[in-house]
PDB file of all heavy atoms in Angstrom:
ATOM      1  N   ARG Y  60      -8.199  24.066  25.512  1.00  0.00           N
ATOM      2  CA  ARG Y  60      -9.328  24.861  26.031  1.00  0.00           C
ATOM      3  C   ARG Y  60      -8.903  26.243  26.480  1.00  0.00           C
ATOM      4  O   ARG Y  60      -9.696  27.183  26.462  1.00  0.00           O
ATOM      5  CB  ARG Y  60     -10.006  24.119  27.182  1.00  0.00           C
ATOM      6  CG  ARG Y  60      -9.116  23.840  28.378  1.00  0.00           C
ATOM      7  CD  ARG Y  60      -9.890  23.113  29.470  1.00  0.00           C
ATOM      8  NE  ARG Y  60      -9.047  22.767  30.599  1.00  0.00           N
ATOM      9  CZ  ARG Y  60      -8.358  21.654  30.678  1.00  0.00           C
ATOM     10  NH1 ARG Y  60      -8.407  20.791  29.684  1.00  0.00           N
ATOM     11  NH2 ARG Y  60      -7.606  21.401  31.735  1.00  0.00           N
ATOM     12  N   GLU Y  66      -9.550  37.132  27.003  1.00  0.00           N
ATOM     13  CA  GLU Y  66      -8.228  37.748  27.108  1.00  0.00           C
ATOM     14  C   GLU Y  66      -8.039  38.328  28.498  1.00  0.00           C
ATOM     15  O   GLU Y  66      -8.932  38.936  29.065  1.00  0.00           O
ATOM     16  CB  GLU Y  66      -8.096  38.847  26.051  1.00  0.00           C
ATOM     17  CG  GLU Y  66      -6.716  39.470  26.004  1.00  0.00           C
ATOM     18  CD  GLU Y  66      -6.587  40.478  24.872  1.00  0.00           C
ATOM     19  OE1 GLU Y  66      -7.534  40.587  24.097  1.00  0.00           O
ATOM     20  OE2 GLU Y  66      -5.540  41.135  24.799  1.00  0.00           O
ATOM     21  N   ARG Y  75       3.437  19.163  31.575  1.00  0.00           N
ATOM     22  CA  ARG Y  75       3.598  18.224  30.478  1.00  0.00           C
ATOM     23  C   ARG Y  75       3.286  16.807  30.945  1.00  0.00           C
ATOM     24  O   ARG Y  75       3.472  16.459  32.109  1.00  0.00           O
ATOM     25  CB  ARG Y  75       5.025  18.301  29.935  1.00  0.00           C
ATOM     26  CG  ARG Y  75       5.348  19.610  29.241  1.00  0.00           C
ATOM     27  CD  ARG Y  75       6.818  19.701  28.905  1.00  0.00           C
ATOM     28  NE  ARG Y  75       7.631  19.751  30.126  1.00  0.00           N
ATOM     29  CZ  ARG Y  75       8.956  19.745  30.135  1.00  0.00           C
ATOM     30  NH1 ARG Y  75       9.620  19.669  28.986  1.00  0.00           N
ATOM     31  NH2 ARG Y  75       9.613  19.811  31.276  1.00  0.00           N
ATOM     32  N   VAL Y  77       3.529  12.505  29.911  1.00  0.00           N
ATOM     33  CA  VAL Y  77       4.156  11.458  29.120  1.00  0.00           C
ATOM     34  C   VAL Y  77       3.283  10.217  29.156  1.00  0.00           C
ATOM     35  O   VAL Y  77       2.684   9.886  30.190  1.00  0.00           O
ATOM     36  CB  VAL Y  77       5.577  11.135  29.640  1.00  0.00           C
ATOM     37  CG1 VAL Y  77       5.568  10.782  31.109  1.00  0.00           C
ATOM     38  CG2 VAL Y  77       6.208  10.006  28.817  1.00  0.00           C
ATOM     39  N   GLU Y  90       3.422  -3.411  38.940  1.00  0.00           N
ATOM     40  CA  GLU Y  90       2.917  -2.301  39.752  1.00  0.00           C
ATOM     41  C   GLU Y  90       4.053  -1.527  40.412  1.00  0.00           C
ATOM     42  O   GLU Y  90       4.004  -0.295  40.485  1.00  0.00           O
ATOM     43  CB  GLU Y  90       1.940  -2.820  40.805  1.00  0.00           C
ATOM     44  CG  GLU Y  90       0.622  -3.304  40.225  1.00  0.00           C
ATOM     45  CD  GLU Y  90      -0.041  -2.264  39.323  1.00  0.00           C
ATOM     46  OE1 GLU Y  90      -0.129  -1.091  39.763  1.00  0.00           O
ATOM     47  OE2 GLU Y  90      -0.454  -2.622  38.204  1.00  0.00           O
ATOM     48  N   ALA Y 147       6.753   3.258  17.469  1.00  0.00           N
ATOM     49  CA  ALA Y 147       7.299   4.202  16.492  1.00  0.00           C
ATOM     50  C   ALA Y 147       6.457   4.269  15.237  1.00  0.00           C
ATOM     51  O   ALA Y 147       6.358   5.345  14.601  1.00  0.00           O
ATOM     52  CB  ALA Y 147       8.739   3.814  16.147  1.00  0.00           C
ATOM     53  N   GLY Y 189      15.795  15.763  27.852  1.00  0.00           N
ATOM     54  CA  GLY Y 189      16.719  15.823  26.727  1.00  0.00           C
ATOM     55  C   GLY Y 189      16.247  16.679  25.569  1.00  0.00           C
ATOM     56  O   GLY Y 189      15.297  17.461  25.679  1.00  0.00           O
ATOM     57  N   VAL Y 214       7.438  -0.780   9.132  1.00  0.00           N
ATOM     58  CA  VAL Y 214       8.472   0.194   9.476  1.00  0.00           C
ATOM     59  C   VAL Y 214       9.564  -0.530  10.250  1.00  0.00           C
ATOM     60  O   VAL Y 214       9.274  -1.398  11.073  1.00  0.00           O
ATOM     61  CB  VAL Y 214       7.872   1.337  10.319  1.00  0.00           C
ATOM     62  CG1 VAL Y 214       8.967   2.145  11.012  1.00  0.00           C
ATOM     63  CG2 VAL Y 214       7.019   2.253   9.455  1.00  0.00           C
ATOM     64  N   LYS Y 238      13.531 -21.645  28.386  1.00  0.00           N
ATOM     65  CA  LYS Y 238      14.434 -22.201  29.393  1.00  0.00           C
ATOM     66  C   LYS Y 238      15.791 -21.512  29.415  1.00  0.00           C
ATOM     67  O   LYS Y 238      16.314 -21.199  30.483  1.00  0.00           O
ATOM     68  CB  LYS Y 238      14.628 -23.703  29.143  1.00  0.00           C
ATOM     69  CG  LYS Y 238      13.405 -24.553  29.434  1.00  0.00           C
ATOM     70  CD  LYS Y 238      13.719 -26.026  29.199  1.00  0.00           C
ATOM     71  CE  LYS Y 238      12.518 -26.903  29.518  1.00  0.00           C
ATOM     72  NZ  LYS Y 238      12.799 -28.346  29.273  1.00  0.00           N
ATOM     73  N   GLY Y 254      22.981 -24.695   5.653  1.00  0.00           N
ATOM     74  CA  GLY Y 254      21.895 -24.588   4.692  1.00  0.00           C
ATOM     75  C   GLY Y 254      22.399 -24.101   3.343  1.00  0.00           C
ATOM     76  O   GLY Y 254      23.475 -23.524   3.223  1.00  0.00           O
ATOM     77  N   THR Y 262      18.351  -4.945  -7.148  1.00  0.00           N
ATOM     78  CA  THR Y 262      18.375  -3.638  -7.808  1.00  0.00           C
ATOM     79  C   THR Y 262      18.543  -2.570  -6.748  1.00  0.00           C
ATOM     80  O   THR Y 262      17.742  -2.497  -5.805  1.00  0.00           O
ATOM     81  CB  THR Y 262      17.084  -3.376  -8.606  1.00  0.00           C
ATOM     82  OG1 THR Y 262      16.885  -4.422  -9.549  1.00  0.00           O
ATOM     83  CG2 THR Y 262      17.178  -2.049  -9.347  1.00  0.00           C
ATOM     84  N   ASN Y 266      20.137   1.711 -10.448  1.00  0.00           N
ATOM     85  CA  ASN Y 266      21.247   1.031 -11.102  1.00  0.00           C
ATOM     86  C   ASN Y 266      20.792  -0.280 -11.732  1.00  0.00           C
ATOM     87  O   ASN Y 266      19.693  -0.786 -11.471  1.00  0.00           O
ATOM     88  CB  ASN Y 266      22.370   0.758 -10.088  1.00  0.00           C
ATOM     89  CG  ASN Y 266      22.941   2.038  -9.515  1.00  0.00           C
ATOM     90  OD1 ASN Y 266      23.187   2.992 -10.251  1.00  0.00           O
ATOM     91  ND2 ASN Y 266      23.145   2.072  -8.213  1.00  0.00           N
ATOM     92  N   ALA Y 273      23.566 -16.060  -2.201  1.00  0.00           N
ATOM     93  CA  ALA Y 273      23.612 -15.482  -0.858  1.00  0.00           C
ATOM     94  C   ALA Y 273      23.056 -16.432   0.182  1.00  0.00           C
ATOM     95  O   ALA Y 273      22.324 -17.379  -0.130  1.00  0.00           O
ATOM     96  CB  ALA Y 273      22.819 -14.174  -0.833  1.00  0.00           C
ATOM     97  N   LEU Y 284      25.171  -3.717  16.819  1.00  0.00           N
ATOM     98  CA  LEU Y 284      24.407  -4.797  17.418  1.00  0.00           C
ATOM     99  C   LEU Y 284      24.877  -5.031  18.853  1.00  0.00           C
ATOM    100  O   LEU Y 284      25.618  -4.218  19.416  1.00  0.00           O
ATOM    101  CB  LEU Y 284      24.544  -6.062  16.570  1.00  0.00           C
ATOM    102  CG  LEU Y 284      23.944  -5.936  15.161  1.00  0.00           C
ATOM    103  CD1 LEU Y 284      24.552  -6.955  14.232  1.00  0.00           C
ATOM    104  CD2 LEU Y 284      22.442  -6.078  15.198  1.00  0.00           C
ATOM    105  N   GLY Y 310      30.534 -23.005   3.241  1.00  0.00           N
ATOM    106  CA  GLY Y 310      31.346 -23.879   4.053  1.00  0.00           C
ATOM    107  C   GLY Y 310      31.965 -23.162   5.238  1.00  0.00           C
ATOM    108  O   GLY Y 310      31.748 -21.977   5.476  1.00  0.00           O
ATOM    109  N   VAL Y 312      35.094 -22.319   5.827  1.00  0.00           N
ATOM    110  CA  VAL Y 312      36.008 -21.227   5.467  1.00  0.00           C
ATOM    111  C   VAL Y 312      35.235 -19.957   5.175  1.00  0.00           C
ATOM    112  O   VAL Y 312      35.621 -18.852   5.578  1.00  0.00           O
ATOM    113  CB  VAL Y 312      36.871 -21.631   4.257  1.00  0.00           C
ATOM    114  CG1 VAL Y 312      37.705 -20.448   3.775  1.00  0.00           C
ATOM    115  CG2 VAL Y 312      37.773 -22.803   4.611  1.00  0.00           C
ATOM    116  N   VAL Y 368      13.025   6.620   4.756  1.00  0.00           N
ATOM    117  CA  VAL Y 368      12.130   7.758   4.946  1.00  0.00           C
ATOM    118  C   VAL Y 368      12.887   8.749   5.824  1.00  0.00           C
ATOM    119  O   VAL Y 368      12.922   8.608   7.053  1.00  0.00           O
ATOM    120  CB  VAL Y 368      10.803   7.340   5.604  1.00  0.00           C
ATOM    121  CG1 VAL Y 368       9.832   8.521   5.638  1.00  0.00           C
ATOM    122  CG2 VAL Y 368      10.178   6.160   4.867  1.00  0.00           C
ATOM    123  N   LEU Y 372      11.054  10.389  12.146  1.00  0.00           N
ATOM    124  CA  LEU Y 372      10.747  10.088  13.559  1.00  0.00           C
ATOM    125  C   LEU Y 372      11.551  11.016  14.464  1.00  0.00           C
ATOM    126  O   LEU Y 372      12.758  11.176  14.279  1.00  0.00           O
ATOM    127  CB  LEU Y 372      11.090   8.633  13.865  1.00  0.00           C
ATOM    128  CG  LEU Y 372      10.828   8.146  15.286  1.00  0.00           C
ATOM    129  CD1 LEU Y 372       9.319   8.165  15.595  1.00  0.00           C
ATOM    130  CD2 LEU Y 372      11.391   6.742  15.489  1.00  0.00           C
TER     131      LEU Y 372
END
Side-chain angles (χ1 to χ4, degrees):
R60 61 179 177 272
E66 185 175 354
R75 292 172 295 175
V77 55
E90 290 307 312
V214 164
K238 290 182 179 179
T262 304
N266 298 316
L284 296 158
V312 173
V368 187
L372 180 65

